[in-house]
Amino acid sequence: MLFKQQALLRQKLFVLGSLAIGSLLYLVARVGSLDRLQPLCPIDGRFGTRAQDEIPLRALQFKRGLLHEFRKGNATKEQIRLHNLVQQLPKAIIIGVRKGGTRALLEMLNLHPAVVKASQEIHFFDNDENYAKGIEWYRKKMPFSYPHQITIEKSPAYFITEEVPERIYKMNSSIKLLIIVREPTTRAISDYTQVLEGKERKNKTYYKFEKLAIDPNTCEVNTKYKAVRTSIYTKHLERWLKYFPIEQFHIVDGDRLITEPLPELQLVEKFLNLPPRISQYNLYFNATRGFYCLRFNIVFNKCLAGSKGRIHPEVDTSVITKLRKFFHPFNQKFYQITGRTFNWP
């Protein structure tokens, strides 16, 4: 009797083991098949509406393997030709602002299958030496993409550099321009914090924020301090409006992108005439980091660099009040020009 029970038990264990192995093999095969899939994503609006303008989504293997080789410069001309890939000038540029959330915006837009990002800041239009190398040098700095994907780069120095609007206009007068802004005083303190951290890494001393932001002779806001000047958004935007109509700009709420990113990304999708593809599935809150991270698929997740979300130093409340009062009329004009109002104090 005992022998029969043991034999029956072994038989059950064998069946259960076979089922487990079979399930595992199915999952492996399923993930492998995802690497081979390239479903189609139609692009509406000005970037293509015809059936032949449909865009292959980036398959897992392409994203993690072949595209990586392209970026390293290891791909052959035959591989590039077979995949119908090109390096194209950007159809949209994130022009600013510094410490407004430009990196977060670029990485989040890269979730869209029709968007391909330049990994590094190119600094083509704001750097005279780079600009002198010509537009083909700039194109070669762009990532490989399918012909109807949208290449986007970001260089926040563009927004405040005087020569840039005219230079970009000469390249493409109909380009779409993205500006991401935060509450001006918060942005200025964040700007200071990044510089302070760089000084501390080199064991250098640095002035306190209050001493830089306030002119000691007049006790008024120091408009010569770059962190303050950058936060006067309307002054810089007016220079851009000499070349581009306001309809070619989209203003992104950098504060909201931190706490509630999806609605902001959906507004950008609409501005770029892209079909809605970014969903809540692509964004998950990382409690440890205190920020939203990105989910591209069941395999590939990504969080922003650890340098994001630096702790700001404590700033004298009277200085904060003085800065907010200073920025207030500029903010009101910025709301009026852009048609977007923020709850800035």
Side-chain angles (χ1 to χ4, degrees):
M1 184 69 176
L2 181 61
F3 177 79
K4 289 183 177 180
Q5 289 177 339
Q6 290 175 338
L8 183 61
L9 180 60
R10 284 195 297 271
Q11 186 177 10
K12 289 181 178 179
L13 289 173
F14 176 79
V15 172
L16 289 172
S18 299
L19 288 172
I21 292 171
S23 299
L24 181 60
L25 290 173
Y26 170 79
L27 288 174
V28 171
R30 177 62 176 161
V31 171
S33 68
L34 288 175
D35 286 350
R36 295 188 297 271
L37 287 176
Q38 289 199 1
L40 294 179
C41 165
I43 296 301
D44 301 322
R46 65 180 296 173
F47 298 121
T49 56
R50 300 169 299 172
Q52 62 266 37
D53 287 339
E54 292 178 333
I55 301 172
L57 294 174
R58 291 166 290 183
L60 296 180
Q61 182 63 37
F62 178 77
K63 181 173 184 59
R64 291 182 288 121
L66 191 56
L67 185 56
H68 180 64
E69 292 302 308
F70 289 158
R71 286 175 176 168
K72 291 194 303 180
N74 294 340
T76 65
K77 291 183 179 180
E78 181 64 15
Q79 286 176 312
I80 294 170
R81 186 188 65 79
L82 287 174
H83 286 270
N84 194 30
L85 294 168
V86 292
Q87 287 173 291
Q88 52 186 334
L89 295 172
K91 293 187 175 77
I93 300 178
I94 301 173
I95 60 173
V97 301
R98 172 181 162 92
K99 307 312 299 174
T102 56
R103 173 56 60 182
L105 177 61
L106 183 68
E107 296 292 345
M108 289 178 177
L109 288 178
N110 194 49
L111 289 165
H112 199 291
V115 171
V116 181
K117 69 178 178 69
S119 297
Q120 304 297 322
E121 293 180 8
I122 310 300
H123 289 287
F124 176 63
F125 297 102
D126 67 304
N127 184 298
D128 291 341
E129 185 177 338
N130 287 342
Y131 190 68
K133 295 175 183 176
I135 202 72
E136 281 306 307
W137 178 88
Y138 181 53
R139 187 195 301 273
K140 294 298 182 182
K141 292 292 182 181
M142 294 300 128
F144 285 94
S145 62
Y146 291 110
H148 298 287
Q149 285 179 308
I150 299 172
T151 297
I152 297 180
E153 75 125 321
K154 74 102 174 175
S155 294
Y158 289 169
F159 186 59
I160 63 171
T161 306
E162 291 188 11
E163 298 83 3
V164 170
E166 183 179 5
R167 289 174 175 180
I168 292 182
Y169 180 84
K170 288 179 178 178
M171 178 191 73
N172 182 359
S173 61
S174 61
I175 197 166
K176 299 211 168 191
L177 302 165
L178 293 161
I179 305 172
I180 179 167
V181 294
R182 297 188 68 192
E183 191 277 314
T185 301
T186 302
R187 194 222 64 82
I189 296 172
S190 180
D191 197 326
Y192 166 83
T193 304
Q194 177 170 296
V195 176
L196 176 65
E197 185 180 275
K199 298 286 187 181
E200 289 176 341
R201 280 199 304 266
K202 298 175 182 177
N203 294 318
K204 293 183 178 180
T205 58
Y206 196 49
Y207 293 109
K208 292 186 66 175
F209 176 79
E210 291 89 340
K211 190 168 184 179
L212 294 168
I214 304 298
D215 188 323
N217 297 318
T218 63
C219 292
E220 298 299 327
V221 172
N222 180 15
T223 55
K224 294 181 180 179
Y225 179 37
K226 186 176 180 179
V228 169
R229 291 202 316 271
T230 300
S231 285
I232 308 175
Y233 304 139
T234 185
K235 289 290 187 182
H236 305 293
L237 182 58
E238 285 173 345
R239 184 170 58 250
W240 283 85
L241 291 173
K242 294 177 182 178
Y243 295 91
F244 300 96
I246 194 63
E247 292 78 20
Q248 283 178 229
F249 297 87
H250 177 73
I251 311 301
V252 179
D253 186 341
D255 295 307
R256 191 184 185 201
L257 192 74
I258 296 171
T259 60
E260 198 179 0
L262 184 58
E264 286 299 313
L265 295 173
Q266 289 172 334
L267 288 174
V268 178
E269 283 181 322
K270 185 176 181 181
F271 172 70
L272 296 177
N273 294 326
L274 294 171
R277 289 293 182 271
I278 303 174
S279 69
Q280 198 61 59
Y281 168 81
N282 300 118
L283 302 159
Y284 67 95
F285 187 76
N286 186 313
T288 303
R289 296 288 308 281
F291 286 93
Y292 277 87
C293 293
L294 316 179
R295 181 186 292 116
F296 288 83
N297 48 55
I298 61 173
V299 175
F300 183 56
N301 297 343
K302 180 177 183 178
C303 288
L304 297 178
S307 61
K308 303 302 177 184
R310 297 179 180 90
I311 298 175
H312 293 180
E314 289 189 16
V315 177
D316 189 287
T317 54
S318 66
V319 171
I320 291 177
T321 301
K322 188 182 288 287
L323 283 168
R324 287 176 172 172
K325 184 178 180 181
F326 169 80
F327 286 126
H328 181 74
F330 297 111
N331 295 342
Q332 296 301 311
K333 192 170 184 180
F334 186 70
Y335 302 160
Q336 184 180 10
I337 292 173
T338 62
R340 182 154 196 190
T341 303
F342 302 96
N343 296 320
W344 295 338

